Amino acid sequence: MWKFIVRRLLITFPQIVFLSVLVFIMAQLMPGDALTGLIDPTITQEALELQRERLGLNNPWYIQYADWVSGLVQGDLGQSYRFKTDVTAVISERLNNTVLLSVVALVFTYLIAIPLGLISGRYNDSPLDSAITGYTYLGFATPIFIFALVILWIFGYQLGWFPTSGSVAPGMQSGTMEYYLSKLNHSLLPGISIALISVVGTVQYLRSEIVDTKQKDFIITARAKGASENRVYNRHIFRNSVLPIAAFFGWEITSLITGTVFVERIFSYPGMGLLFLESIGQRDFSVVTALTLLFGIASILGALLSDIILGMVDPRIRIK
């Protein structure tokens, strides 16, 4: 197992390096540079050239890339002209909110997906299965931002059950129990909105696994030996069908990246997704570049985590 993990890590490292090169080149192709927004527009051309020389912006791209990577290793992601501070500090302020939202979305995803998948697979071709399958088709066809808008309008504005914006109620003192409960309450509605769309793939996959597993020979043998239907499902079908779902955990992290970007915007939830969209609109290139790199690394690590989990639950996946 350790050899398998080491091999995957060795594959992941070049992927991250290639991603960093791609992000850097794309940033170089964008209009403007690291001085955009940071300098006085009335500055003379001579003073501007001195600043460019001081920052190394006249160096060849590969030297600039090496300097950029050196800064990344030291935690220096550049300077945000919008916030007039380090990009690292800007992202750190939003990171906790996005992590909380992602955890809430993951928890609700599995709390909803596993029961629906089990019911749909056990009672396949029944009216209940048709209703669940219809919901998954609706989820596949509905963009997450439209779904989030409907959820916000119903449960936020019409029923008033949840806050409609922000990450904490005004006036809360940081570090208190009320503060953390308020943050959790503000993350519930956007988290559920993401989960209700994210479940569709897991439900369909689990249903297919159960339908396929209950037709296998060892299930027929268990029934022939007189095992009760509940025992057959709980001890044999469920156990063999739910293990591959663990491999979806890493891919769920990857799918959350796109989900949080749009949902945070709709709910005005101050996370990295909202920061990303605002930085694009404000042309804050340093923040956009850093977040693009972080989102890409999260996707790569999510795929790595999926492979490792799948290798743990299914030895056939491991490379000899």
Side-chain angles (χ1 to χ4, degrees):
M1 184 62 199
W2 285 108
K3 292 182 179 179
F4 171 75
I5 295 176
V6 170
R7 286 195 189 98
R8 288 297 293 114
L9 288 173
L10 292 177
I11 295 173
T12 299
F13 181 73
Q15 291 176 334
I16 294 177
V17 172
F18 177 76
L19 173 67
S20 67
V21 173
L22 184 62
V23 169
F24 180 79
I25 292 176
M26 291 175 62
Q28 292 292 306
L29 294 176
M30 290 190 298
D33 51 34
L35 285 175
T36 302
L38 291 175
I39 58 175
D40 187 344
T42 61
I43 191 173
T44 64
Q45 187 63 33
E46 292 77 8
L48 178 61
E49 286 301 321
L50 287 175
Q51 289 290 337
R52 292 181 58 84
E53 189 68 31
R54 182 180 65 84
L55 294 175
L57 298 178
N58 294 327
N59 294 332
W61 73 269
Y62 52 86
I63 296 179
Q64 294 187 51
Y65 172 75
D67 294 337
W68 182 62
V69 171
S70 176
L72 292 179
V73 173
Q74 301 175 37
D76 181 10
L77 298 176
Q79 190 84 3
S80 168
Y81 88 83
R82 177 187 173 201
F83 295 97
K84 307 300 181 184
T85 186
D86 293 336
V87 174
T88 306
V90 175
I91 294 178
S92 298
E93 294 176 357
R94 306 291 187 99
L95 180 61
N96 292 336
N97 289 336
T98 296
V99 169
L100 175 61
L101 177 59
S102 300
V103 170
V104 170
L106 277 175
V107 170
F108 277 102
T109 295
Y110 284 99
L111 286 178
I112 298 170
I114 292 179
L116 289 182
L118 291 175
I119 294 172
S120 184
R122 181 168 183 174
Y123 305 104
N124 62 301
D125 299 327
S126 67
L128 187 58
D129 172 44
S130 298
I132 295 174
T133 304
Y135 169 72
T136 61
Y137 290 156
L138 179 65
F140 279 124
T142 306
I144 190 170
F145 61 88
I146 293 180
F147 204 85
L149 284 171
V150 173
I151 295 294
L152 176 63
W153 181 75
I154 295 175
F155 296 100
Y157 290 107
Q158 297 300 314
L159 299 178
W161 291 355
F162 297 96
T164 57
S165 63
S167 64
V168 67
M172 289 290 177
Q173 183 178 355
S174 178
T176 63
M177 180 60 68
E178 291 79 9
Y179 175 83
Y180 293 116
L181 289 176
S182 178
K183 289 189 73 70
L184 178 61
N185 188 37
H186 279 73
S187 67
L188 286 178
L189 194 57
I192 293 173
S193 300
I194 297 173
L196 289 175
I197 289 292
S198 300
V199 299
V200 295
T202 305
V203 170
Q204 287 280 20
Y205 186 80
L206 182 56
R207 177 190 182 278
S208 299
E209 283 289 316
I210 292 176
V211 172
D212 180 64
T213 301
K214 68 182 183 181
Q215 298 174 3
K216 294 185 180 297
D217 291 340
F218 71 93
I219 299 298
I220 298 175
T221 302
R223 287 196 174 104
K225 289 182 177 180
S228 65
E229 198 66 15
N230 285 335
R231 180 179 177 85
V232 169
Y233 271 94
N234 295 333
R235 296 292 299 274
H236 301 288
I237 297 177
F238 174 73
R239 182 173 295 181
N240 285 275
S241 299
V242 79
L243 286 179
I245 298 299
F248 271 65
F249 181 78
W251 294 109
E252 292 288 355
I253 295 176
T254 302
S255 66
L256 283 175
I257 294 174
T258 55
T260 55
V261 168
F262 295 106
V263 169
E264 286 181 4
R265 178 64 174 177
I266 291 169
F267 287 88
S268 298
Y269 187 82
M272 292 197 300
L274 181 59
L275 176 64
F276 181 70
L277 293 177
E278 290 177 343
S279 298
I280 292 176
Q282 297 287 336
R283 303 175 68 84
D284 196 347
F285 297 127
S286 298
V287 176
V288 173
T289 302
L291 288 176
T292 302
L293 180 63
L294 290 177
F295 289 155
I297 291 175
S299 298
I300 293 174
L301 295 181
L304 171 64
L305 183 59
S306 290
D307 289 345
I308 292 175
I309 294 175
L310 190 58
M312 294 173 62
V313 301
D314 190 350
R316 295 172 299 176
I317 302 299
R318 302 173 195 171
I319 303 174
K320 301 296 184 181

